[in-house]
Amino acid sequence: EWSGMAEGDYFALDSPEGSYRAPGDVRLANPWSRDAVEGDVMLTPDRGRLEMVMVSAMDETSLRIEGRSVRTDHFKVLRNTTNRYYEIWLDEAGTPVQFALVTPNNTITFTLTG
């Protein structure tokens, strides 16, 4: 079980992995949110850990989604505590339309449709 709450300029987290203090702007590891490509500290809910991350804009590209071309900004979120990273594609409105979890063994890609 874990819990967290804001304490002044910090976010205090108690988890099975330990107790942490994170910057107040810590964000949840959620690639379906625009926040996933901002900041440098991420909370991973599956492990209850804080991870330092580095976000890099990769390129502007078009994706084919349900037969239409969608112009996107493509980002990579590097996680420094593992050899995993996220790739996220945001449309012109800033909505995540595709993301991928990349590991040494495979890549799992999710695409927003409908």
Side-chain angles (χ1 to χ4, degrees):
E1 182 177 318
W2 47 294
S3 64
M5 71 171 135
E7 291 184 354
D9 292 340
Y10 295 93
F11 185 81
L13 172 69
D14 290 317
S15 80
E17 297 287 323
S19 295
Y20 306 96
R21 282 178 53 137
D25 63 352
V26 65
R27 68 195 184 287
L28 188 62
N30 174 10
W32 285 121
S33 168
R34 171 75 170 98
D35 293 340
V37 295
E38 297 179 4
D40 58 2
V41 179
M42 184 179 291
L43 170 62
T44 57
D46 57 335
R47 294 188 178 131
R49 292 184 186 161
L50 294 171
E51 293 185 9
M52 298 299 295
V53 295
M54 185 170 54
V55 178
S56 63
M58 294 182 66
D59 54 20
E60 290 183 14
T61 189
S62 291
L63 296 177
R64 231 40 217 148
I65 299 176
E66 294 187 320
R68 63 183 170 79
S69 181
V70 178
R71 194 203 70 72
T72 65
D73 291 321
H74 181 201
F75 296 86
K76 184 183 278 189
V77 180
L78 302 168
R79 300 167 61 185
N80 74 350
T81 59
T82 67
N83 51 3
R84 301 173 178 212
Y85 62 90
Y86 299 120
E87 288 191 51
I88 301 171
W89 292 262
L90 305 174
D91 70 8
E92 291 177 321
T95 303
V97 293
Q98 185 168 286
F99 77 87
L101 170 60
V102 181
T103 72
N105 299 325
N106 60 32
T107 299
I108 302 169
T109 303
F110 298 88
T111 304
L112 182 64
T113 62

